[in-house]
Amino acid sequence: MKTIITGDRPTGKLHLGHYFGSLQNRVKMQYDYDTYILIADVQALTDNFNNPDKVRANVKELAMDYLAAGIDPNHSHIYIQSLIPEIAELTVYFSNLISVARLYRNPTTKHEMNQKKELFGEAGESITYGFLGYPVSQAADITALDGEIVPVGDDQLPHIEQTREVVRKFNNVYGETFKEPEAVLSKTPRIKGLDGNEKMSKSLNNCIYLSDDEETITKKVMSAVTDPNKIKKDDPANPDVCMVYYYHKLIDNNLETICSECKKGERGCVACKKELATALSEYLKTIREKRRYYEEHPEEVEKILNDGTEAARNRAKEVMKRVRKNMKLDYFE
Ligand code: TRP
């Protein structure tokens, strides 16, 4: 079985962007791969170093979202990054193999830096060593467990590409040690927000969370952007520019009828939104109920994290023996 390594930063609850972007893929793939899912608390601290409470609180929230969405602890290991010191060690070795200029060229880091002006300055002049370098640590996340397949959203592609570069460089300098991992995208690697923005994102406040209840979903769906040319209820409209239709498509709900009624002006936006809210709420119902179960059984979540972390650590220890040997650091072995 090939090995999957993937994960998220514990900075908030998971939303539809995470689910359709990669989580659903991970759930499907876990039965055919040796799957390790990382809660990247160290990475979360790179832009939340001044907010440890937030990171701490979201570790369990993220674990519960994973479990609720169908990550099965009998098939996947969920583990906490900071409890695998081997990853930190490998990050240090990798940091010699990539230039600062290359890190500055990473479009995802650059975009995030520009979104965080209060932390990193207007033009990124106060960017920290840790934040600029987090893709190096992500390369270590993946390789410290011999990861081969990385199911992620498309914003992560630059990081996987950098991981592959670091691996090539490492193998060149110290001899064949790691395989180059491959990213796997879902059919919908980027999900739009309720406001029509290209990306559903917590910082844009345009998300539907997996844990949202029916009332919240309804309120949010009512605010979704529709065809601006449709003024009256019976104006014909273009579903292709409507976020409500976009989400109907995402969950494959009654598409033919909705599309033709909308185009003919036989469907008002309010009714269409109500239909979406009901369907979405139904779609997320199992996830919500499973989540409630884990909220009521925190000791189970803790055990899953503990076991997952132990399994990941054992694996990382083995990999690091090989790394140290190849780097001539195996002094007393
Ligand atoms: N950068 C990822 C995100 O922001 C999280 C992450 C950390 C990750 N380490 C990883 C993803 C390793 C895949 C593999 O969502």
Side-chain angles (χ1 to χ4, degrees), residues 31 35 88 90 158 182 187 217 247 267:
Y31 304 103
T35 302
L90 188 56
E182 279 168 43
K187 281 184 291 197
I217 293 174
Y247 296 117
R267 167 173 281 261

Side-chain angles (χ1 to χ4, degrees), residues 67-68 70 285-295:
L67 294 165
K285 192 168 160 198
T286 330
I287 297 183
R288 250 185 344 257
E289 282 173 359
K290 225 168 173 184
R291 199 178 200 285
R292 193 161 331 116
Y293 171 83
Y294 284 108
E295 284 164 6

Side-chain angles (χ1 to χ4, degrees), residues 9-14 39 41 53-68 78-80 291 294-306:
R9 300 178 196 177
T11 50
K13 293 183 176 183
L14 296 184
I39 299 187
D41 58 344
D53 291 328
K54 170 176 157 192
V55 174
R56 171 69 181 242
N58 278 302
V59 167
K60 260 200 177 163
E61 295 295 328
L62 181 54
M64 289 194 290
D65 276 338
Y66 283 152
L67 294 165
I78 307 177
Y79 64 107
I80 301 178
R291 199 178 200 285
Y294 284 108
E295 284 164 6
E296 285 161 6
H297 296 83
E299 69 296 341
E300 275 187 45
V301 181
E302 248 167 55
K303 172 139 186 4
I304 289 165
L305 283 176
N306 224 316

Side-chain angles (χ1 to χ4, degrees), residues 79-312:
Y79 64 107
I80 301 178
Q81 185 185 21
S82 62
L83 295 178
I84 319 288
E86 287 76 13
I87 294 175
E89 181 187 356
L90 188 56
T91 303
V92 174
Y93 302 150
F94 279 175
S95 64
N96 296 323
L97 306 179
I98 186 159
S99 72
V100 173
R102 176 68 182 89
L103 290 168
Y104 271 116
R105 282 200 300 274
N106 182 313
T108 296
T109 331
K110 215 188 270 177
H111 176 74
E112 289 167 340
M113 175 186 85
N114 286 329
Q115 281 186 327
K116 299 250 164 183
K117 294 191 190 304
E118 74 293 353
L119 265 190
F120 301 135
E122 266 310 304
E125 67 280 5
S126 310
I127 192 167
T128 59
Y129 165 61
F131 186 79
L132 183 66
Y134 89 70
V136 182
S137 135
Q138 186 156 332
D141 293 339
I142 296 167
T143 52
L145 272 71
D146 277 335
E148 299 171 272
I149 306 289
V150 191
V152 280
D154 70 346
D155 60 326
Q156 298 298 304
L157 292 180
H159 300 339
I160 311 305
E161 193 45 48
Q162 262 180 1
T163 302
R164 294 166 63 89
E165 286 175 32
V166 169
V167 163
R168 285 200 289 274
K169 185 83 190 256
F170 192 103
N171 289 345
N172 240 321
V173 176
Y174 303 109
E176 199 62 27
T177 309
F178 297 115
K179 286 188 203 151
E180 283 182 45
E182 279 168 43
V184 172
L185 294 182
S186 77
K187 281 184 291 197
T188 47
R190 181 181 303 196
I191 303 302
K192 294 183 191 180
L194 287 159
D195 55 358
N197 194 294
E198 276 310 306
K199 195 177 172 195
M200 186 174 276
S201 150
K202 184 178 42 152
S203 52
L204 297 172
N205 201 13
N206 62 6
C207 306
I208 292 177
Y209 293 95
L210 299 183
S211 48
D212 279 347
D213 59 22
E214 180 154 13
E215 200 187 320
T216 312
I217 293 174
T218 307
K219 220 186 315 163
K220 287 181 177 178
V221 167
M222 288 299 157
S223 77
V225 171
T226 54
D227 181 351
N229 292 322
K230 176 165 169 136
I231 314 288
K232 292 193 307 299
K233 182 164 149 252
D234 45 9
D235 285 345
N238 176 9
D240 293 333
V241 299
C242 172
M243 292 317 297
V244 179
Y245 187 64
Y246 176 84
Y247 296 117
H248 276 300
K249 268 198 305 203
L250 212 50
I251 60 169
D252 194 18
N253 180 53
N254 197 13
L255 297 182
E256 256 173 65
T257 311
I258 295 175
C259 191
S260 86
E261 285 181 1
C262 175
K263 282 183 178 162
K264 284 190 260 170
E266 291 167 358
R267 167 173 281 261
C269 290
V270 173
C272 191
K273 284 175 170 177
K274 281 192 181 145
E275 184 177 334
L276 174 64
T278 308
L280 247 184
S281 180
E282 185 58 34
Y283 189 91
L284 296 175
K285 192 168 160 198
T286 330
I287 297 183
R288 250 185 344 257
E289 282 173 359
K290 225 168 173 184
R291 199 178 200 285
R292 193 161 331 116
Y293 171 83
Y294 284 108
E295 284 164 6
E296 285 161 6
H297 296 83
E299 69 296 341
E300 275 187 45
V301 181
E302 248 167 55
K303 172 139 186 4
I304 289 165
L305 283 176
N306 224 316
D307 293 351
T309 301
E310 193 184 324

Side-chain angles (χ1 to χ4, degrees), residues 65-76:
D65 276 338
Y66 283 152
L67 294 165
I71 295 295
D72 178 346
N74 296 315
H75 288 275
S76 300

